[in-house]
Amino acid sequence: QVQLVESGGGLVQAGGSLRLSCAASGSILRINVMGWYRQAPGKQRELVATINNGGSTNYANSVKGRFTISRDNAKNTVYLQMNSLKPEETAVYYCKHRTLLPPFYDYWGQGTQVTVSS
């Protein structure tokens, strides 16, 4: 079992920045992928960015060049630096931990609200 706790969400003006954190605890496997997803009201949850245990990253095209995902393995924490935020990116942002070894399982955090005004 893995527990994930997100923090860092809040209200920001368009063009501003936020830094989200996701602290993981529990039975964490070294071979894993951590990711950030977001879900706006009335819309499906979508991928924002992922990072694996080796540091390889993947970004949604809509955030490429503006967002940066990183991780601190010593702290079991993953971060999402969000720059030049747009109003349409208002959503609940969720952290996910995916194990890459059997039994394979996804763990989700509770989400943190990000609201971009104007």
Side-chain angles (χ1 to χ4, degrees):
Q1 285 287 321
V2 175
Q3 294 79 46
L4 305 172
V5 179
E6 302 100 329
S7 62
L11 176 65
V12 65
Q13 294 181 343
S17 299
L18 283 175
R19 181 179 171 88
L20 306 182
S21 298
C22 174
S25 62
S27 301
I28 303 168
L29 293 176
R30 192 178 70 85
I31 308 300
N32 65 71
V33 174
M34 301 290 293
W36 287 97
Y37 293 72
R38 64 189 178 193
Q39 186 167 23
K43 299 181 66 177
Q44 295 183 340
R45 189 171 299 184
E46 65 177 351
L47 169 73
V48 177
T50 62
I51 184 167
N52 71 9
N53 52 276
S56 296
T57 58
N58 178 264
Y59 296 93
N61 288 335
S62 62
V63 307
K64 196 172 299 182
R66 297 186 297 115
F67 290 12
T68 302
I69 188 170
S70 61
R71 63 191 296 168
D72 185 335
N73 291 329
K75 297 180 179 179
N76 289 324
T77 301
V78 62
Y79 305 94
L80 184 67
Q81 178 67 45
M82 305 185 294
N83 297 327
S84 301
L85 281 161
K86 305 173 181 179
E88 58 264 36
E89 293 175 317
T90 293
V92 177
Y93 284 68
Y94 296 91
C95 179
K96 186 183 80 173
H97 174 281
R98 169 173 286 181
T99 61
L100 297 180
L101 294 174
F104 307 108
Y105 202 79
D106 290 343
Y107 299 90
W108 293 89
Q110 82 288 346
T112 184
Q113 176 70 45
V114 172
T115 302
V116 185
S117 64
S118 299

